[in-house]
Amino acid sequence: MTNPTSARTRAIDAAIDSLDGSFFKALCEPSRVAVLKRVMQLGRADIAEIAEGLPQERSVVSRHLQVLLEAGIVRATKVSRQMFYEVDGPAVVTRLEAILQHMKSLTPFCCPGAPK
């Protein structure tokens, strides 16, 4: 028989892992969100266009784009020697839906809220 305390502990750990993953970590830094906003405004753009108008150096903007890329928030397409970035809307929605479903499945075990 499963110990209710250990099941609750596992559910809590799984919930925290969902919320502490690369997706949310990528969105928790204001300057990275500013880079994301710029990409959203431009649509598809290269690093020069994205960095233009931002206070960071191009190398810093490039690192932010790499984190967003690894988190599945933007996608990159190489054309010749240039890399173009754009927000991957369908992937973001899919990721958010998966996190929501995961949290819904864990809620009864880790954080049921007030009784109704």
Side-chain angles (χ1 to χ4, degrees):
M1 186 167 144
T2 304
N3 179 346
T5 304
S6 67
R8 179 175 165 82
T9 300
R10 284 193 307 276
I12 290 168
D13 290 343
I16 295 301
D17 286 346
S18 270
L19 298 174
D20 196 33
S22 64
F23 184 82
F24 288 119
K25 284 181 180 177
L27 297 173
C28 73
E29 188 170 322
S31 42
R32 192 169 301 124
V33 173
V35 171
L36 178 60
K37 181 178 179 181
R38 182 91 173 121
V39 174
M40 289 174 149
Q41 291 168 335
L42 294 170
R44 184 172 180 261
D46 67 4
I47 184 73
E49 292 173 292
I50 296 166
E52 186 179 310
L54 291 172
Q56 298 93 354
E57 298 287 325
R58 271 177 64 161
S59 62
V60 175
V61 172
S62 180
R63 284 194 302 269
H64 286 315
L65 286 167
Q66 187 61 39
V67 171
L68 293 167
L69 183 64
E70 289 169 2
I73 296 169
V74 299
R75 64 176 162 236
T77 308
K78 190 169 186 168
V79 177
S80 187
R81 292 179 45 186
Q82 275 185 298
M83 191 69 77
F84 290 89
Y85 297 89
E86 61 188 326
V87 175
D88 192 345
V92 170
V93 169
T94 299
R95 184 74 181 270
L96 287 170
E97 287 174 339
I99 292 168
L100 178 62
Q101 288 305 313
H102 189 232
M103 288 301 295
K104 281 182 176 180
S105 72
L106 296 172
T107 299
F109 304 103
C110 71
C111 31
K116 296 184 180 197

